[in-house]
Amino acid sequence: MSSVPVLRTVAEVRAWREEQRARGRAVGYVPTMGALHAGHLELVKAAEAAGSGAVMVSIFVNPAQFAPHEDLDRYPRTLDSDVGKLAALGLGQATAVAVFAPAVAEMYPRGISTTVAEQRGTFVEVRGLSEMLEGGTRPHFFRGVATVVAKLLHIVMPDAAFFGQKDVQQCCVLRAMVQDLHFPVALRVVPTVRDPVDGLALSSRNVYLTPEQRARAPAFYRGLCRARDLFAAGTTARDELIAAVRAEAATEQLDVEYVCLSSPDDLAEVQAVGSGGAILSGAWRMGTTRLIDNILLGFEF
């Protein structure tokens, strides 16, 4: 039997949080949608390394961030395996780990539809940042993300929350939300965890790739690396950096949706990497699977 407790209700999480507070433990929080891989586990390790005496991992496939035509129903749900991976992680004995795996009705007591026009209740929007990049093709997405993370932060009440850089726009959106709504939590961004052989960013959606698609997919990251090398050699121009990514992606005939060079502050497209740095990011499709990746140029979170 797993040594990691699985909590199902808000009341159980708040009782757990009070227990940790009574023991003088700082609480680190890692929100996930499950199907845990090494990238998620690295966030848990980062929480422990940052001094969290207790770590809460939420596992919740959030309907509000899916559109009706997207993959909500087939998104992998592997709770038992996920809990086993956390139990086997081997954190220090002084670190308490728990999982919050609520039902949809617990998180959305008024019900939830993937159709925005049908939704009722309270939602959170981060205007501006949410409309950039991914927001161009997924206008519903960051409204759903901001809403569920605001709920989860309010439920867990952590001292720090840990997110992966792979979802860089999400990090920017949530950083703004935390600042604007005065959440008493430190938001930490952990570098993207990649396949050690070919550099493909770890993602729960990688399981959808066929062997042939999986072999071709890393070409986008190779393009990002080419652009990073150009930047290190002095190239700052948007067109040259983006061309390097697209050229490498073309070697495997990737279906590139976009490549952008963006300001870290507002995600607006920039013509060159300035003194404040820039985010080089993009999305591409492998059959019905959509992947994203990015690198940071001239700055760190």
Side-chain angles (χ1 to χ4, degrees):
M1 181 176 292
S2 169
S3 61
V4 177
V6 178
L7 312 179
R8 298 288 189 172
T9 69
V10 173
E12 288 175 329
V13 173
R14 287 182 171 162
W16 178 88
R17 178 65 179 86
E18 287 305 309
E19 178 185 350
Q20 308 315 314
R21 178 175 291 164
R23 296 185 179 190
R25 293 170 171 163
V27 172
Y29 172 49
V30 179
T32 82
M33 293 209 300
L36 300 187
H37 51 65
H40 296 114
L41 300 180
E42 196 63 32
L43 296 178
V44 178
K45 293 177 184 177
E48 182 190 41
S52 303
V55 181
M56 172 63 72
V57 179
S58 62
I59 296 176
F60 179 65
V61 181
N62 176 35
Q65 66 195 64
F66 290 80
H69 66 281
E70 293 181 334
D71 58 353
L72 174 61
D73 289 338
R74 73 184 187 112
Y75 196 89
R77 292 162 171 82
T78 57
L79 179 61
D80 289 345
S81 173
D82 293 342
V83 174
K85 290 176 182 178
L86 291 170
L89 197 53
L91 298 182
Q93 293 183 353
T95 303
V97 180
V99 166
F100 179 37
V104 173
E106 186 74 8
M107 294 300 296
Y108 294 98
R110 297 178 187 271
I112 186 67
S113 169
T114 56
T115 301
V116 170
E118 297 175 356
Q119 293 174 352
R120 299 293 181 268
T122 303
F123 294 84
V124 177
E125 290 186 287
V126 181
R127 303 302 297 271
L129 287 169
S130 295
E131 283 88 51
M132 309 303 289
L133 303 176
E134 292 289 290
T137 55
R138 307 182 74 194
H140 58 284
F141 179 73
F142 289 109
R143 180 176 183 266
V145 169
T147 297
V148 79
V149 173
K151 287 172 177 275
L152 289 164
L153 290 176
H154 184 58
I155 293 165
V156 178
M157 296 181 289
D159 297 285
F162 296 79
F163 297 86
Q165 182 195 312
K166 182 181 75 70
D167 300 305
V168 67
Q169 184 174 5
Q170 173 177 281
C171 295
C172 293
V173 167
L174 295 177
R175 180 176 61 179
M177 182 191 77
V178 164
Q179 292 172 346
D180 292 350
L181 298 184
H182 303 286
F183 276 95
V185 59
L187 193 151
R188 309 294 189 199
V189 178
V190 178
T192 302
V193 179
R194 301 183 177 278
D195 184 288
V197 176
D198 59 24
L200 184 67
L202 300 190
S203 168
S204 300
R205 286 191 166 92
N206 290 352
V207 299
Y208 300 151
L209 300 175
T210 67
E212 183 270 339
Q213 290 170 340
R214 176 63 184 80
R216 293 166 48 219
F220 194 91
Y221 179 59
R222 292 200 300 270
L224 291 174
C225 291
R226 284 186 59 188
R228 183 171 57 199
D229 291 344
L230 288 173
F231 175 72
T235 299
T236 61
R238 168 192 178 276
D239 291 347
E240 293 181 58
L241 296 172
I242 288 178
V245 179
R246 288 190 173 276
E248 191 64 34
T251 65
E252 294 291 351
Q253 299 180 316
L254 300 188
D255 180 12
V256 176
E257 192 171 284
Y258 72 85
V259 186
C260 284
L261 187 71
S262 308
S263 163
D265 296 323
D266 58 9
L267 298 180
E269 187 86 4
V270 295
Q271 295 304 308
V273 182
S275 59
I279 300 167
L280 185 61
S281 64
W284 72 104
R285 292 186 180 274
M286 308 293 299
T288 60
T289 303
R290 186 174 184 276
L291 302 175
I292 60 174
D293 205 350
N294 69 85
I295 57 170
L296 310 181
L297 300 176
F299 87 104
E300 296 180 356
F301 278 105

